[in-house]
Amino acid sequence: MTKRTVTLTDNATGKQVELPVHEGTHGPAAIDVRSLYKELGYFTYDPGFMATASCSSAITYIDGDKGILMYRGYPIEQLAEHSTYLEVCYLLLYGHLPTSTELSDFSRIVKEHSMLHEALRRFYGGFRHDAHPMAIMVGVFGALSAFYHDSTDVQNPRHREISAHRMISKMPTIAAWSYKYALGQPFMYPDNSLGYTENFLRMMFSTPTTAYKTNPTFVRALDLILILHADHEQNASTSTVRLSGSSEANPFAAVSAGIASLWGPLHGGANESVVRMLSSIAESGNVNQYVARAKDKDDPFRLMGFGHRVYKNFDPRAKIIRKMCHQLLAELGAENQPLFEVALELERIATEDEYFIERKLYPNVDFYSGIILRAMGIPLNMFPVIFALARIVGWISHWNEMMHDPESRIGRPRQLYTGEQPRDYVPIEQR
Ligand code: SDX
């Protein structure tokens, strides 16, 4: 089949360059611009990478216009209905749904690695008691690289697999202990007789004094949140992990950089900001004033939980989690709480107000996940931690795919220089 190409003409010189086009299995083809600088002397310019493919990947596919999200070809709607987070971890990591033997082996391995080294446990004591749990996560997760000298060869597939297992296994313990440390409560060790998500909830909410009974609806709701947040193509935090890992830094350090990126309120910090915003609006009693502020170009305020870089249609994850959100609120009899009433009012406005319709600003997954986590009694500053707990498998799957990709090389973007022309040094007495 003849290779597709595009021809670029420099209208200033009439010089032309023919660029190859790469076809994916789904979605837009990509123009290979690697020869552009050599042939025509130009860089490409795309702040925020709105139209730039940084890599090829077989893990997740998003169609923002059609509201499609697939993990390894499986529609998110089917995985949300039939799968579990641990099974989705296997799918994202290995590329196929596990047989029952593969899943039980994977589950056993994940349970075997769920404890942290006791020296790492003492690491928590160095933080102020009111440290944000994401600050603790960045530090503690990065410190894991100090403990695992047995699997540091990033070019060794078996070492990469061991690191992936360790991250998926230990993330719930690190996350739950970040919460317990902030509370000043004793750390609860993993109980491997429980399932992955139930084990995390138990480490979060149980204490040595009373037997802990998990609420099955909470387990299902959280497992659904973890499935929906597990991966999302080349989002900011995943791209951070890929760029950090491209220098062959160890995977724990690369993922720690991803945790830091996820913390931002425009990304994984959005669900925490959603509930803070809903609380302020509920307190003010004036939804319309906040909507007006969100529409005002001179006001930096944005409606957190609305809009998405890629989804210019309803975020498919939001559609799925919206159902669980309303079901949980009904079960808890919380629908009439002011905060949730404001959420339902904002949801209505976003689907009727011209500003939001024109800009295709629909509620995104973080709008509903924030409400569910709040209803489950998970504290606000733990919301991005839950997001990181879910996304760990996406990060490590992309890192592994990159390390395995013969085309991958150290990431080093260029720039459009807009600084000073060359000038001579001026001695201080002449300034
Ligand atoms: C996640 O990349 C991923 O996949 C991320 C994620 C994942 O799973 O990894 O999906 C998770 O990060 C979801 C997004 C969570 N963030 C928020 O909810 C924060 C609030 N949303 C916005 O800040 C914003 O929508 C972004 C950051 C999500 C997307 O920003 P873009 O794509 O850069 O869009 P933009 O800033 O160019 O906005 C386009 C227009 C602008 O208006 P105009 O200049 O055209 O007049 O829409 C407006 C913006 O002002 N706009 C909003 C708005 N979001 C965009 N106006 C009011 N409220 C908002 N939330």
Side-chain angles (χ1 to χ4, degrees):
M1 188 171 81
T2 48
K3 282 286 264 181
R4 266 174 68 182
T5 61
V6 291
T7 303
L8 202 56
T9 306
D10 181 347
N11 293 327
T13 61
K15 215 170 163 231
Q16 290 196 323
V17 61
E18 194 173 12
L19 300 170
V21 171
H22 299 296
E23 307 269 2
T25 39
H26 255 298
I31 298 173
D32 187 330
V33 294
R34 283 177 286 189
S35 63
L36 186 62
Y37 180 60
K38 191 161 63 63
E39 300 288 335
L40 280 190
Y42 291 107
F43 292 148
T44 57
Y45 183 68
D46 184 14
F49 311 113
M50 302 280 280
T52 296
S54 61
C55 62
S56 61
S57 178
I59 298 173
T60 293
Y61 174 70
I62 298 173
D63 181 323
D65 296 327
K66 297 194 186 106
I68 290 171
L69 169 59
M70 300 193 299
Y71 292 162
R72 299 288 190 180
Y74 293 97
I76 192 67
E77 294 80 2
Q78 295 183 27
L79 293 170
E81 191 178 341
H82 303 298
S83 192
T84 63
Y85 176 69
L86 207 56
E87 183 178 73
V88 164
C89 284
Y90 187 97
L91 171 66
L92 288 168
L93 215 45
Y94 293 103
H96 64 273
L97 285 172
T99 60
S100 48
T101 314
E102 287 168 333
L103 185 58
S104 55
D105 288 348
F106 183 65
S107 173
R108 176 181 47 74
I109 293 167
V110 168
K111 287 176 189 262
E112 275 167 10
H113 291 277
S114 57
M115 289 230 290
L116 299 185
H117 192 292
E118 279 297 298
L120 197 62
R121 190 173 176 285
R122 289 193 291 276
F123 204 88
Y124 282 78
F127 290 98
R128 275 175 51 122
H129 73 281
D130 56 354
H132 193 293
M134 284 298 270
I136 298 176
M137 294 278 287
V138 171
V140 172
F141 202 91
L144 282 174
S145 45
F147 288 82
Y148 298 114
H149 301 287
D150 64 338
S151 57
T152 54
D153 177 2
V154 295
Q155 297 302 348
N156 179 329
R158 180 60 188 139
H159 283 199
R160 296 204 297 264
E161 183 180 37
I162 292 169
S163 298
H165 290 163
R166 280 177 167 147
M167 290 187 191
I168 294 167
S169 309
K170 297 179 188 307
M171 195 59 168
T173 313
I174 293 173
W177 286 10
S178 306
Y179 172 57
K180 285 301 200 187
Y181 182 74
L183 279 188
Q185 283 187 357
F187 291 168
M188 297 304 288
Y189 284 85
D191 171 354
N192 288 339
S193 67
L194 302 176
Y196 188 86
T197 305
E198 189 178 3
N199 202 359
F200 169 69
L201 283 172
R202 182 189 155 279
M203 287 191 280
M204 276 279 289
F205 293 120
S206 71
T207 62
T209 54
T210 40
Y212 175 72
K213 205 174 155 349
T214 36
N215 175 330
T217 311
F218 283 15
V219 175
R220 182 64 199 133
L222 184 58
D223 204 64
L224 177 63
I225 285 179
L226 297 181
I227 290 174
L228 296 178
H229 286 78
D231 191 47
H232 216 235
E233 279 189 1
Q234 307 309 322
N235 56 86
S237 55
T238 301
S239 300
T240 302
V241 172
R242 278 181 172 260
L243 190 57
S244 313
S246 71
S247 68
E248 297 198 1
N250 76 73
F252 300 103
V255 168
S256 176
I259 295 173
S261 166
L262 185 78
W263 192 3
L266 293 189
H267 187 16
N271 49 20
E272 177 181 352
S273 310
V274 164
V275 177
R276 290 191 194 285
M277 173 192 76
L278 293 175
S279 307
S280 323
I281 298 176
E283 231 168 85
S284 76
N286 189 341
V287 178
N288 293 325
Q289 179 205 15
Y290 279 83
V291 171
R293 284 188 56 197
K295 291 154 69 172
D296 176 357
K297 292 252 45 80
D298 302 324
D299 188 329
F301 173 76
R302 285 192 159 182
L303 279 184
M304 302 316 281
F306 286 80
H308 196 277
R309 167 60 57 77
V310 177
Y311 289 122
K312 298 307 175 194
N313 194 325
F314 220 86
D315 180 338
R317 303 168 298 176
K319 266 192 194 151
I320 296 165
I321 203 170
R322 180 179 184 280
K323 216 164 67 193
M324 173 60 82
C325 181
H326 287 264
Q327 179 194 331
L328 192 73
L329 293 182
E331 187 175 301
L332 296 170
E335 279 163 313
N336 304 325
Q337 283 182 19
L339 184 130
F340 301 129
E341 280 183 340
V342 166
L344 300 180
E345 175 61 2
L346 281 177
E347 191 186 40
R348 184 191 62 74
I349 291 171
T351 49
E352 292 171 8
D353 185 297
E354 207 32 55
Y355 175 91
F356 296 95
I357 296 169
E358 200 183 295
R359 290 167 182 77
K360 303 180 185 306
L361 298 176
Y362 299 95
N364 56 43
V365 64
D366 295 297
F367 180 72
Y368 298 104
S369 63
I371 296 168
I372 289 179
L373 295 174
R374 164 77 179 228
M376 289 171 64
I378 291 178
L380 276 187
N381 62 11
M382 281 295 290
F383 288 11
V385 173
I386 304 286
F387 197 141
L389 171 59
R391 190 53 57 90
I392 190 76
V393 66
W395 289 329
I396 196 67
S397 301
H398 279 274
W399 172 77
N400 193 41
E401 183 181 64
M402 174 186 70
M403 296 313 291
H404 190 74
D405 179 354
E407 277 217 314
S408 119
R409 48 195 325 177
I410 186 166
R412 203 267 181 236
R414 304 307 300 267
Q415 63 172 15
L416 177 70
Y417 175 69
T418 55
E420 297 289 340
Q421 294 296 343
R423 51 185 173 165
D424 294 327
Y425 183 81
V426 178
I428 193 161
E429 56 277 2
Q430 293 170 28
R431 287 176 210 158

